[in-house]
C-alpha cells in the first residue's frame, strides 16, 4: 500500500472553481465512506479548508487510485470531472508526504507561515478517526505532520513570513494602516462560530474593538464563543495593556439590525448560499448614513466615465457645410468621438481636431472641395477663409502617418472624491458568504478570498522559509525510514512469537521427560533456554530493522518469512493487532477538547464546523 493525495488549492485553481467545489461537512463524511469502500483504497482522510480540498488515501494501485479519487472528488463536490481535472494535482508516496508536511508548516498556505492549518489538520484526523477511515499509515502521517508543523513554528521564524488569513484580511481592509490601530474602538460583527470565525473574533478582541457581536445559526454556539471572549477580554481590573471588549451573541435573524451598527464585519460560515446579499448591505448603509446606497459609476475610480462630455469647451462647428463630400454624421461618430464636437449641428473645416483620424484620401477630397467653393449662401453666413496650404500640409502628414494626430491637449479631468467606507466586510468563507456585488456600493469595502489571493501573490517571503524547507526534507526522510522499518515489524514480532512457542513446547517436553525437577530447577532451565533464543535472534532482528529502514529495504521482510517459514496469516494477524492498538492510542492522543480550560487567545479554535476554514 502507498500514500496518494489528489486535490486542488488556491495554487492550482481559480477561486471561482474552489468556491463551487467546496465540501460541506456531510459531503466530507460521505466522501470518506465512499473512498474506503472503493477497491483501490484502504484508508482515507479529507483536508478541506477555505483554499484547498485534498483527499488522502492508502492505495494499492496508483493509476486506479488516481482515477477513483478524482471521480469521487468530482461527484461529491458537484463539479464535473472534465471541468475539475485541469485543476487537480496528484502526489504519490514520498512526494505526497513532502507535500503534506509543507502544508502543515504553512509553506503551501495562501499566507505563508500561517499556523491555523494545524488546527484544520487536527480536525481532519479526528473526523477520519471517528469514521474509522484512518488506519496505521494515515494516523502516523497526520500525527507526524502536526509535530513537523509545531517544530517549524518553534525552531524558525516562519511566523514572521506571514500572518493568519484573518490578520492578513484585516490589514487589507485597513488599506495598509496597522490593523490594531485601525480596529481600536470600532464595533465588530462576526458571523459564524466555527474555527475561523473564532480566530477572527479573538483577533478582533485583542485589537481592542469596543464591541464584538457573534451571530450564528445555532445560538448556543454563538453564546458560548461570546462568553469565552467576555471572560478573556471583558470587564476586569484595568492594567496598562488590557483591553475592554463588550462581547455578546445574537441569533442570525438579528444580523440586518447589527449591520446598521457595525463598522467591521467578518463572515465565515458553512452556508451554501449567500449570507449577506447586496440589497441587505445597501439597506444597512442607508440605515447608517440616512441616504440611499448607490453604486459607483463605471470608471468612477478615475473620476469620470469614458464617454462623458467635457463641459466648458467651445464648439468646433461654425455652421452647416452644404455640399461637403464628407459624411458629417460618421465623422462626428468616429473620427472625433469623445471630443467636444459631439452633438454639434455642423462640421468645422477649421482646426486639426476636426479632421483627426481621417485617412489621406478623404482629406484630399475635403481639400479639393475647400478650393472650389467657399461661400455659404444662407443669409448672413459666409464660409471662413481656408488656409489651403495648411490643409495641404495636413494631407501630406496624413499620407505619411496614415492619419492626422490629435494635437489639442485634453482638458484635465477632475478627480471625484470617494467617501471613506462606513462598512468594511471581510469574507473568509468558501463558498462565499457575501455577495461580490457589494463592492460597487459607495461607502462599502469588501475583501474576500479572491482579493486576498491576489494580494498575497506579492507578499514577501521570509528568509526562514528555506530553513523550514530543510526541516520538511529531514522529516520526510525520517518518516519514510520509520514506515519502512514499521513494514518489517509484524514479521519480526511473528518470528519472536514463533520462537517463544518453540521454547514453551520444549520446556513442556522436558517436564514430561524429567518429572522430578523442582520449581527452581525448572525455572533456571526455562530462563536459560529463553536467553539463548533471545541472543540468537537479537542481532539479526535489530539488523534487519536497520536494513529495512534504508531505501530498497522492503524485501527483508519477505526474506525473513521465507527463511523461517513464517505463516503469512500469523504475520497479518500481528499487523491487524498493531493497527487496532494504534487506532486506540491515536484516538486518545488525537481527540480534541476545545473546552474552556484549553482556550488560547493566540490560537482560538473550535471543533465545530470541522473542515471549514
Amino acid at each position: 500500500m502507498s500514500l496518494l493525495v489528489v486535490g486542488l488549492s488556491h495554487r492550482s485553481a481559480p477561486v471561482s472553481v474552489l468556491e463551487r467545489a467546496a465540501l460541506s461537512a456531510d459531503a466530507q463524511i460521505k466522501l470518506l465512506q465512499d473512498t474506503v469502500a472503493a477497491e483501490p483504497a484502504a484508508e482515507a482522510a479529507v483536508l478541506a479548508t477555505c483554499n484547498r480540498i485534498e483527499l488522502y488515501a492508502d492505495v494499492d494501485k496508483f493509476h486506479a487510485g488516481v482515477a477513483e479519487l478524482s471521480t469521487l472528488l468530482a461527484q461529491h463536490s458537484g463539479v464535473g470531472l472534465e471541468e475539475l481535472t485541469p485543476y487537480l494535482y496528484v502526489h504519490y508516496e514520498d512526494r505526497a508526504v513532502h507535500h503534506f508536511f509543507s502544508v502543515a508548516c504553512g509553506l503551501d498556505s495562501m499566507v505563508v507561515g500561517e499556523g491555523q492549518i494545524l488546527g484544520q489538520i487536527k480536525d481532519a484526523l479526528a473526523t477520519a478517526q471517528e469514521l474509522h477511515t484512518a488506519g496505521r499509515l494515515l494516523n502516523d502521517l497526520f500525527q507526524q505532520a502536526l509535530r513537523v508543523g509545531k517544530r517549524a513554528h518553534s525552531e524558525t521564524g516562519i511566523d514572521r513570513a506571514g500572518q493568519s488569513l484573518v490578520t492578513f484580511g484585516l490589514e487589507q481592509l485597513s488599506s495598509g494602516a496597522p490593523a490594531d490601530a485601525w480596529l481600536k474602538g470600532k464595533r465588530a460583527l462576526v458571523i459564524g462560530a466555527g474555527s475561523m470565525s473564532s480566530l477572527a473574533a479573538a483577533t478582533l478582541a485583542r485589537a481592542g474593538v469596543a464591541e464584538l457581536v457573534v451571530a450564528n445559526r445555532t445560538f448556543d454556539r454563538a453564546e458560548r464563543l461570546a462568553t469565552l471572549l467576555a471572560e478573556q477580554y471583558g470587564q476586569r481590573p484595568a492594567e496598562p495593556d488590557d483591553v475592554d471588549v463588550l462581547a455578546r451573541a445574537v441569533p442570525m435573524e438579528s444580523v440586518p439590525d447589527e449591520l446598521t451598527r457595525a463598522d467591521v464585519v467578518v463572515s465565515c460560515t458553512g452556508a451554501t448560499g449567500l449570507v449577506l446579499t447586496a440589497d441587505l448591505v445597501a439597506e444597512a448603509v442607508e440605515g447608517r448614513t440616512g441616504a440611499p446606497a448607490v453604486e459607483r459609476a463605471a470608471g468612477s475610480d478615475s473620476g469620470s466615465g469614458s464617454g462623458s462630455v467635457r463641459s466648458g469647451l467651445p464648439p468646433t462647428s461654425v455652421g452647416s457645410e452644404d455640399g461637403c463630400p464628407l459624411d458629417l454624421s460618421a465623422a462626428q461618430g468616429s473620427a472625433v468621438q469623445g471630443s467636444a464636437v459631439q452633438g454639434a449641428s455642423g462640421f468645422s473645416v477649421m482646426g486639426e481636431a476636426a479632421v483627426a483620424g481621417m485617412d489621406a484620401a478623404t482629406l484630399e477630397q475635403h481639400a479639393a472641395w475647400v478650393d472650389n467653393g467657399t461661400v455659404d449662401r444662407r443669409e448672413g453666413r459666409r464660409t471662413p477663409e481656408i488656409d489651403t496650404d495648411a490643409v495641404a500640409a495636413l494631407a501630406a502628414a496624413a499620407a505619411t502617418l496614415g492619419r492626422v494626430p490629435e494635437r489639442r491637449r485634453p482638458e484635465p479631468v477632475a478627480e471625484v472624491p470617494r467617501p471613506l467606507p462606513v462598512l468594511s466586510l471581510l469574507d473568509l468563507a468558501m463558498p462565499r458568504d457575501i455577495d461580490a456585488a457589494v463592492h460597487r456600493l459607495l461607502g462599502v469595502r469588501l475583501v474576500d478570498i479572491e482579493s486576498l489571493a491576489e494580494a498575497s501573490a506579492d507578499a514577501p517571503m521570509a528568509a526562514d522559509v528555506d530553513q523550514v524547507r530543510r526541516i520538511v526534507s529531514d522529516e520526510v526522510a525520517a518518516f519514510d525510514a520509520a514506515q519502512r522499518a514499521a513494514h518489517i515489524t509484524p514479521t519480526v514480532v511473528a518470528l519472536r512469537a514463533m520462537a517463544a512457542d518453540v521454547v514453551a513446547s520444549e520446556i513442556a517436553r522436558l517436564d514430561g521427560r524429567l518429572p522430578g525437577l523442582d520449581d527452581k530447577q525448572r525455572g533456571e532451565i526455562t530462563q536459560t533456554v529463553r536467553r539463548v533464543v533471545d541472543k540468537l535472534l537479537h542481532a539479526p532482528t535489530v539488523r534487519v530493522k536497520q536494513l529495512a529502514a534504508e531505501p530498497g529495504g522492503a524485501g527483508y521482510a519477505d526474506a525473513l518469512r521465507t527463511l523461517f517459514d513464517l505463516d503469512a496469516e500469523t504475520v497479518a494477524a500481528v499487523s491487524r493487532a498493531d493497527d487496532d492498538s494504534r487506532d486506540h492510542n491515536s484516538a486518545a492522543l488525537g481527540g480534541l477538547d476545545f473546552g474552556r480550560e484549553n482556550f488560547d487567545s493566540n490560537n482560538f479554535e473550535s471543533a465545530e464546523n470541522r473542515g471549514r476554514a
Side-chain angles (χ1 to χ4, degrees):
M1 304 295 282
S2 301
L3 178 65
L4 174 67
V5 56
V6 177
L8 67 161
S9 73
H10 65 100
R11 294 185 182 274
S12 69
V15 173
S16 58
V17 175
L18 282 172
E19 185 178 29
R20 292 170 51 212
L23 297 172
S24 65
D26 291 340
Q28 292 178 44
I29 292 173
K30 192 67 169 66
L31 174 59
L32 286 175
Q33 294 171 337
D34 289 351
T35 301
V36 294
E39 182 179 349
E43 305 177 33
V46 173
L47 179 61
T49 73
C50 59
N51 52 32
R52 78 178 61 251
I53 303 166
E54 295 179 343
L55 179 56
Y56 292 79
D58 186 8
V59 300
D60 57 1
K61 299 175 183 177
F62 172 72
H63 293 290
V66 171
E68 188 66 32
L69 267 58
S70 301
T71 301
L72 289 170
L73 270 178
Q75 288 177 352
H76 291 281
S77 69
V79 179
L81 182 59
E82 291 185 358
E83 182 181 358
L84 193 64
T85 298
Y87 305 112
L88 293 177
Y89 49 77
V90 175
H91 298 295
Y92 189 56
E93 294 186 332
D94 291 357
R95 294 302 306 168
V97 177
H98 189 281
H99 169 76
F100 190 43
F101 288 178
S102 298
V103 169
C105 293
L107 292 180
D108 199 58
S109 296
M110 184 179 295
V111 180
V112 174
E114 58 91 10
Q116 63 209 68
I117 185 65
L118 291 176
Q120 294 156 354
I121 291 175
K122 285 181 182 179
D123 288 347
L125 175 60
T127 300
Q129 288 173 343
E130 290 173 3
L131 297 174
H132 304 289
T133 63
R136 181 186 61 82
L137 176 61
L138 292 186
N139 270 306
D140 289 350
L141 177 71
F142 274 66
Q143 293 288 359
Q144 183 156 341
L146 292 172
R147 291 192 292 270
V148 173
K150 292 176 181 177
R151 179 187 169 192
H153 286 280
S154 63
E155 295 182 11
T156 74
I158 188 65
D159 292 331
R160 296 193 298 269
Q163 318 92 339
S164 71
L165 202 59
V166 173
T167 305
F168 189 61
L170 291 173
E171 288 190 353
Q172 295 303 305
L173 281 179
S174 66
S175 300
D180 287 357
W182 177 72
L183 289 167
K184 189 79 172 178
K186 283 184 166 56
R187 295 184 296 271
L189 170 63
V190 175
I191 304 176
S195 58
M196 184 68 81
S197 299
S198 301
L199 180 60
T203 303
L204 292 167
R206 285 198 304 271
V209 294
E211 182 182 38
L212 183 57
V213 180
V214 181
N216 194 57
R217 283 187 169 82
T218 305
F219 180 72
D220 290 345
R221 295 179 180 177
E223 193 171 36
R224 182 167 56 186
L225 176 57
T227 300
L228 290 173
L229 291 167
E231 292 179 354
Q232 187 74 12
Y233 301 102
Q235 301 295 327
R236 55 187 173 175
E239 295 180 6
D241 297 328
D242 274 357
V243 293
D244 267 350
V245 177
L246 173 61
R248 57 188 176 89
V250 298
M252 286 294 286
E253 294 76 16
S254 300
V255 166
D257 293 333
E258 296 297 336
L259 278 177
T260 63
R261 306 177 66 251
D263 301 304
V264 181
V265 179
V266 180
S267 185
C268 185
T269 73
T272 55
L274 293 175
V275 175
L276 299 181
T277 64
D279 290 341
L280 185 61
V281 174
E283 291 175 4
V285 173
E286 183 177 351
R288 292 198 60 171
T289 63
V294 297
E295 292 190 358
R296 297 184 179 95
S300 61
D301 288 345
S302 60
S304 66
S306 58
S308 62
V309 178
R310 290 177 294 183
S311 61
L313 294 180
T316 57
S317 174
V318 295
S320 174
E321 302 291 345
D322 296 337
C324 179
L326 302 182
D327 184 349
L328 303 185
S329 61
Q332 290 179 356
S334 58
V336 289
Q337 184 178 7
S339 72
V341 77
Q342 289 180 346
S345 59
F347 186 83
S348 174
V349 295
M350 298 290 290
E352 300 165 18
V355 290
M358 293 183 186
D359 56 61
T362 304
L363 212 71
E364 289 177 357
Q365 184 182 13
H366 178 265
W369 172 78
V370 169
D371 288 340
N372 294 330
T374 61
V375 179
D376 184 351
R377 305 191 187 284
R378 290 179 298 175
E379 184 178 356
R381 295 292 186 97
R382 287 185 58 85
T383 303
E385 293 184 2
I386 304 300
D387 187 346
T388 56
D389 292 338
V391 173
L394 284 174
T400 303
L401 302 177
R403 64 180 182 83
V404 177
E406 168 70 75
R407 295 186 183 177
R408 178 186 297 177
R409 290 180 178 272
E411 293 293 323
V413 179
E415 292 289 338
V416 177
R418 292 177 57 180
L420 293 175
V422 297
L423 185 60
S424 299
L425 307 172
L426 176 58
D427 186 358
L428 298 176
M430 185 64 68
R432 70 180 73 235
D433 279 348
I434 303 175
D435 190 347
V438 306
H439 82 279
R440 295 198 298 265
L441 296 175
L442 288 173
V444 176
R445 176 165 171 77
L446 171 65
V447 170
D448 55 16
I449 293 295
E450 191 166 10
S451 58
L452 286 177
E454 295 174 358
S456 64
D458 299 327
M461 299 284 285
D464 299 272
V465 168
D466 289 337
Q467 186 177 351
V468 173
R469 287 175 177 153
R470 289 192 292 271
I471 290 176
V472 168
S473 297
D474 293 344
E475 291 286 352
V476 169
F479 181 82
D480 290 343
Q483 289 300 303
R484 288 191 293 267
H487 180 68
I488 204 171
T489 297
T491 302
V492 172
V493 172
L495 174 60
R496 288 189 172 276
M498 184 190 74
D501 290 341
V502 171
V503 170
S505 176
E506 289 302 314
I507 294 299
R509 190 175 67 84
L510 184 63
D511 284 342
R513 291 189 174 188
L514 301 173
L517 291 175
D518 57 27
D519 292 341
K520 182 178 180 181
Q521 293 171 330
R522 186 182 295 103
E524 284 291 338
I525 294 173
T526 300
Q527 188 174 2
T528 299
V529 174
R530 286 176 176 168
R531 279 201 301 267
V532 170
V533 172
D534 285 341
K535 287 182 178 181
L536 287 173
L537 292 181
H538 175 73
T541 53
V542 169
R543 184 60 179 150
V544 79
K545 284 186 176 181
Q546 294 172 345
L547 293 172
E550 297 176 358
Y556 287 99
D558 296 333
L560 272 185
R561 287 193 293 270
T562 301
L563 289 173
F564 289 93
D565 194 23
L566 296 176
D567 181 37
E569 180 56 34
T570 301
V571 176
V574 172
S575 182
R576 286 193 297 271
D578 183 52
D579 285 348
D580 291 342
S581 175
R582 285 173 181 270
D583 288 345
H584 175 74
N585 292 335
S586 296
L589 293 173
L592 304 180
D593 179 11
F594 289 101
R596 186 171 303 172
E597 65 277 9
N598 288 331
F599 173 78
D600 178 4
S601 62
N602 292 318
N603 191 16
F604 196 130
E605 297 175 343
S606 169
E608 297 150 4
N609 279 347
R610 281 181 177 156
R612 293 288 305 128

